[in-house]
Amino acid sequence: QIMVSVRGLAAPSSEAQELYILLKRPHVQALLSAHDSVAQRDYGPVLPPLPDKLPDNEEAMRIVCLVKNTQPLGATIRKNERTGNIFIARVIHGGLADRSGLLHPGDKLVEVNGQKVQGLQPERVIQMLVQFQGNILFKVIPNSPQPANRQPALYVRAMVDYSPLQDPAIPCPDAGMAFSKGDLLEIVDQSDIRWWQARKLHSASLCCGLIPSTNQLRYKQRELWWSQPYQAHTCIRPCMLKHTHTHTHTHKHTHEIMDENKCIETGDYLIESMSSFIYLIILLGFRHSLRVWRRKSYSKRKPSCYSCAVSSCHNTSATVYEEVLHYQRHIDDPPRLIVLIGPSGVGVNELRRRLIKINPNTYQGPISHTTRSQKMGEKNGREYHFVTKEVFAYMVINHKFLEYGKHNGHMYGTSLDSVKDVLDNGKMCVIDLEPHCIHSVRTKKLKPYIIFVRPPSPARMRQTRKDPHFLANSYIKRCFHDKDFEEIEEASRTMEVKYRQYFDCVIVNDDLQDSCMDLFTAIQHAQEEPQWIPASWFAPDHL
Ligand SMILES: Nc1ncnc2c1ncn2[C@@H]1O[C@H](COP(=O)(O)OP(=O)(O)OP(=O)(O)O)[C@@H](O)[C@H]1O
């Protein structure tokens, strides 16, 4: 048609002529012809005819025919115990029912394949749905009016672990979505104050799952039945949901039904079923870190506040979901602070030292403060800021340190100002930090990118760390022992369990050269690629 129109033009424009030439090409013609033949075919399932006898109040009745397949229906049902009526309780976003646009929360279910459901137990309805094959005809009385607009999605990072199968409060465990600390979630429905609908970002599944709302999770946290730091996951209720064909859990006049393979929720029943000095060049800001006294403090199991700035010791356990936004660093923005975290001995300092040594014009560490006396050849402000005990104590009281601690009777600390000095010089500041001090750097100004350095298996540690030049650290001049590797692995596991929600990236320090490359790539990624960061880092300064 277009070609005919163009041909009929007395003086076609150059654009019209170009369009004509494009459309005339054989491969475009073939593509259009293929499209037409596909478009003419009807690929939809053959639906049964409508029932002959429609009720008088047919206006109010909707007949919905869904074809059972391997996908879950994505709806739940609930029974009104007083009237015996069965209602659609919840429609899961992205599920079959949602995409059909024909079933909505509050719709009254009248019949399923000609069988009346009023008065039946939701479990029975679910059983019927499981048994039926092929087309399933629902008669529903629609609930009106339907809300027109959906809420805008909210993006959050999970700060706790959650397993619906271990949650006795969830209205329908089969419709629940498990998540772990650090997972990025897109919350698409918050209409229920207790149970939200969400999907995991970067997940292949379009279908949402039920997750507890912030209030519900906080309430659960008070029960202390999941997410216990340093403890194995415990649950106050034994997991009893395995292959229950029907399962009843009474929750305010509602019931749930589930089947291994199916998911329709009913009145909160899920009807599913469809399916250093050595160097001539001084590496500015590099010292053998504060990690030695940290190791001591580990072994003595000092309270964490001993080795961190006062400001970092606030309690953040109340945050169960942290709102995040997509952030692309502008070229004029200061570089994000790069924070390395890892168990003592894993190689955090080695990686940091190599990175700074390879490119001292780009990367730098902050200059630490110390109360120890200046040695021959040292310069104030180069190796350390040498300060008196009184000045150090004043800085501690005024929250000047991101972290601080004691080693061999002297105080050492990394100040916020020394980090800012590096950033203000236009360099990328790379620091290592104890995980319990993470909160001291999680600020709008620093926008830290946190890299966890994980050890490889003890066997690989044994292989890669056997070179006698690789000493446990420069203060303890000895080779690694097997026990060291076990301790490093154990400390790593403990850190991950407690803090992995804060890690933007994990590097396994196996082969040293590969790890340096991974670190370099991760830092580039942090500075140049869009990232999900806490929404609070976008808040205006006065807030
Ligand atoms: N991938 C690796 N392969 C071999 N040796 C390594 C590797 N990474 C680090 N090392 C060596 O392991 C030892 C410990 O590394 P490093 O001092 O960086 O550990 P750390 O994590 O900073 O802990 P600490 O603060 O207790 O020293 C060093 O001798 C270092 O050269």
Side-chain angles (χ1 to χ4, degrees):
Q1 270 180 344
I2 294 171
M3 290 174 77
V4 169
S5 307
V6 174
R7 247 198 330 254
L9 294 174
S13 65
S14 58
E15 289 86 358
Q17 286 179 30
E18 191 181 350
L19 178 63
Y20 186 84
I21 292 167
L22 286 173
L23 291 175
K24 213 175 150 194
R25 290 199 174 148
H27 55 272
V28 177
Q29 296 265 321
L31 178 70
L32 293 172
S33 153
H35 167 269
D36 289 349
S37 56
V38 171
Q40 275 164 18
R41 280 194 209 158
D42 185 1
Y43 292 94
V46 181
L47 299 179
L50 282 177
D52 293 336
K53 286 187 205 154
L54 286 173
D56 294 341
N57 58 343
E58 68 196 68
E59 281 294 296
M61 189 78 77
R62 177 184 293 150
I63 295 173
V64 178
C65 182
L66 294 178
V67 182
K68 195 167 174 177
N69 61 20
T70 52
Q71 286 178 294
L73 178 60
T76 64
I77 54 173
R78 169 184 295 142
K79 182 180 179 188
N80 182 319
E81 293 295 350
R82 193 175 49 80
T83 61
N85 290 332
I86 302 278
F87 293 93
I88 302 286
R90 210 183 298 264
V91 173
I92 306 294
H93 287 239
L96 195 60
D98 179 45
R99 280 180 285 133
S100 78
L102 299 170
L103 293 175
H104 301 99
D107 287 354
K108 183 175 147 192
L109 198 55
V110 180
E111 279 180 28
V112 178
N113 273 6
Q115 294 188 27
K116 297 219 178 320
V117 297
Q118 198 195 18
L120 295 184
Q121 289 305 322
E123 295 94 329
R124 175 73 199 115
V125 180
I126 299 301
Q127 270 176 350
M128 284 161 55
L129 287 165
V130 172
Q131 281 157 8
F132 291 137
Q133 295 301 322
N135 299 319
I136 300 191
L137 211 64
F138 295 91
K139 266 191 207 170
V140 297
I141 297 178
N143 173 37
S144 57
Q146 297 302 323
N149 289 324
R150 290 186 167 177
Q151 304 139 317
L154 175 73
Y155 297 93
V156 298
R157 190 186 303 275
M159 307 305 270
V160 294
D161 294 329
Y162 176 71
S163 166
L165 295 183
Q166 293 181 310
D167 183 355
I170 190 166
C172 182
D174 279 356
M177 184 178 74
F179 57 80
S180 308
K181 284 178 174 184
D183 282 350
L184 288 166
L185 310 177
E186 179 186 2
I187 298 173
V188 301
D189 190 323
Q190 298 176 67
S191 50
D192 182 335
I193 55 163
R194 296 180 63 209
W195 299 99
W196 293 345
Q197 291 191 32
R199 62 171 73 93
K200 283 187 196 156
L201 277 187
H202 315 304
S203 142
S205 169
L206 288 175
C207 194
C208 289
L210 286 188
I211 62 167
S213 68
T214 302
N215 286 340
Q216 178 74 3
L217 252 186
R218 285 208 186 119
Y219 173 75
K220 276 288 147 204
Q221 269 194 327
R222 283 200 291 274
E223 289 183 11
L224 291 178
W225 63 279
W226 71 65
S227 233
Q228 296 278 319
Y230 293 98
Q231 282 176 27
H233 188 105
T234 50
C235 176
I236 53 169
R237 186 187 73 157
C239 185
M240 54 187 189
L241 300 173
K242 246 187 168 177
H243 299 297
T244 43
H245 195 71
T246 57
H247 164 80
T248 307
H249 172 73
T250 307
H251 169 67
K252 285 182 186 167
H253 310 298
T254 69
H255 312 265
E256 300 171 47
I257 300 175
M258 57 224 128
D259 183 283
E260 344 170 286
N261 216 355
K262 17 252 143 216
C263 210
I264 292 179
E265 193 177 357
T266 69
D268 293 289
Y269 278 73
L270 185 64
I271 309 171
E272 161 181 21
S273 123
M274 314 224 170
S275 318
S276 125
F277 291 113
I278 298 161
Y279 303 109
L280 289 176
I281 307 167
I282 301 289
L283 300 177
L284 270 188
F286 184 81
R287 81 287 186 240
H288 195 79
S289 84
L290 308 177
R291 294 168 68 80
V292 175
W293 55 259
R294 289 177 198 153
R295 179 178 286 191
K296 277 179 75 181
S297 66
Y298 278 147
S299 56
K300 289 182 185 168
R301 302 226 178 260
K302 297 251 187 205
S304 59
C305 289
Y306 172 75
S307 58
C308 70
V310 180
S311 59
S312 71
C313 297
H314 58 90
N315 180 9
T316 58
S317 64
T319 311
V320 290
Y321 300 118
E322 179 178 64
E323 189 182 350
V324 289
L325 292 174
H326 223 198
Y327 166 73
Q328 167 74 69
R329 191 176 77 88
H330 188 268
I331 192 140
D332 295 332
D333 292 347
R336 295 182 66 180
L337 172 67
I338 303 298
V339 181
L340 301 185
I341 284 184
S344 182
V346 73
V348 161
N349 265 301
E350 185 67 43
L351 289 172
R352 202 171 74 97
R353 188 180 64 79
R354 286 184 177 232
L355 185 79
I356 296 173
K357 189 184 165 196
I358 290 166
N359 203 339
N361 294 326
T362 306
Y363 307 108
Q364 191 179 317
I367 313 286
S368 299
H369 285 68
T370 182
T371 58
R372 84 153 163 78
S373 48
Q374 197 171 330
K375 292 180 187 167
M376 282 274 286
E378 286 182 334
K379 195 174 159 196
N380 191 20
R382 189 177 65 186
E383 288 80 19
Y384 288 101
H385 294 291
F386 296 98
V387 293
T388 60
K389 286 180 185 164
E390 290 72 25
V391 170
F392 199 99
Y394 174 86
M395 290 178 74
V396 169
I397 291 166
N398 288 284
H399 310 306
K400 298 289 181 191
F401 289 118
L402 299 175
E403 64 171 348
Y404 64 92
K406 202 172 188 179
H407 174 60
N408 275 353
H410 303 295
M411 299 301 292
Y412 293 83
T414 307
S415 74
L416 175 61
D417 283 347
S418 63
V419 168
K420 283 184 183 162
D421 285 347
V422 176
L423 295 173
D424 290 346
N425 279 338
K427 290 194 181 179
M428 284 185 212
C429 186
V430 188
I431 66 170
D432 60 88
L433 202 67
E434 278 301 284
H436 59 257
C437 296
I438 282 176
H439 298 295
S440 65
V441 293
R442 290 189 96 232
T443 64
K444 177 184 174 176
K445 168 103 184 155
L446 299 177
K447 292 191 177 63
Y449 186 84
I450 299 175
I451 300 173
F452 179 66
V453 182
R454 184 193 285 158
S457 66
R460 280 295 298 163
M461 287 280 280
R462 213 167 290 125
Q463 280 172 10
T464 52
R465 272 77 168 171
K466 64 182 173 205
D467 189 322
H469 291 105
F470 288 144
L471 301 172
N473 65 48
S474 54
Y475 290 87
I476 306 167
K477 299 255 181 229
R478 66 164 176 79
C479 293
F480 282 113
H481 301 151
D482 278 358
K483 196 162 182 304
D484 296 324
F485 300 140
E486 282 161 24
E487 278 178 12
I488 292 172
E489 196 192 33
E490 177 60 29
S492 168
R493 220 176 341 209
T494 303
M495 277 186 190
E496 279 202 74
V497 166
K498 195 169 180 196
Y499 297 105
R500 71 175 184 276
Q501 66 273 30
Y502 300 113
F503 302 159
D504 293 290
C505 171
V506 175
I507 288 176
V508 178
N509 186 17
D510 190 336
D511 175 80
L512 194 48
Q513 266 191 327
D514 288 351
S515 305
C516 286
M517 213 44 226
D518 290 347
L519 178 60
F520 181 74
T521 311
I523 293 177
Q524 266 198 321
H525 180 76
Q527 309 292 7
E528 290 165 17
E529 306 283 326
Q531 314 281 337
W532 291 98
I533 66 169
S536 59
W537 296 357
F538 287 93
D541 283 328
H542 61 274
L543 289 180

